Amino acid sequence: MSDPNCIFCKIVAGQIPSRKVYEDDDILAFHDINPAAPVHFLIVPKLHLVNLYDADMKHQALLGKMLGMVGQLAREQGLNDGFRVVVNNGRVGRQEVYHLHVHVMGGPEPVSSGSRSG
Ligand code: AMP
Ligand code: ZN
């Protein structure tokens, strides 16, 4: 399922360009347009899930793949000295784009320990 009004569904469909990091049948990873760290990319399921409230154990394999790919993709992007992983959910979680995504942030400089939002 995709949501015609969802920006990340449009990126998945190739209707909006992105700087691709990785793609397979289930997930897409691309660089964040407004990076909060020297390297900042997002991993999204191709399936339109709003956030983790919208996911359950039916999505175990998909969620597992999203996290299971992080280490390899981080290394490929040059993150060899650590990185942060953030998933924002809902209003209090400061979610801006309502299509589930995993932020992966790192780089040569120390990454702030505060929230990346705001
Ligand atoms: P969140 O607050 O977790 O919903 O963050 C959404 C993220 O999506 C932000 O870091 C934005 O910079 C990023 N973003 C929004 N539009 C695009 C886009 N067209 N391409 C890449 N990243 C985007
Ligand atoms: Zn979507």
Side-chain angles (χ1 to χ4, degrees):
M1 281 307 127
S2 72
D3 177 338
N5 299 314
C6 170
I7 187 168
F8 286 177
C9 282
K10 289 181 181 169
I11 287 176
V12 165
Q15 293 162 359
I16 291 178
S18 69
R19 289 173 53 219
K20 193 192 299 184
V21 167
Y22 173 80
E23 180 170 18
D24 66 25
D25 286 347
D26 304 309
I27 65 175
L28 176 68
F30 51 94
H31 291 280
D32 196 292
I33 205 167
N34 183 23
V39 175
H40 182 175
F41 62 90
L42 307 173
I43 306 175
V44 309
K46 291 191 168 179
L47 178 71
H48 179 82
L49 292 174
V50 172
N51 54 34
L52 290 176
Y53 284 125
D54 201 22
D56 60 29
M57 292 306 293
K58 280 196 304 292
H59 306 107
Q60 183 176 15
L62 181 60
L63 297 170
K65 183 182 255 192
M66 290 171 70
L67 279 186
M69 287 302 300
V70 168
Q72 175 191 323
L73 298 182
R75 274 204 192 87
E76 287 173 2
Q77 295 302 314
L79 302 181
N80 297 307
D81 194 23
F83 55 86
R84 294 176 65 211
V85 170
V86 172
V87 183
N88 295 323
N89 293 274
R91 183 182 66 84
V92 172
R94 299 188 185 181
Q95 185 175 6
E96 293 171 6
V97 176
Y98 279 77
H99 179 129
L100 178 64
H101 51 282
V102 171
H103 293 260
V104 181
M105 292 168 281
E109 300 302 320
V111 180
S112 159
S113 61
S115 165
R116 75 143 309 269
S117 301

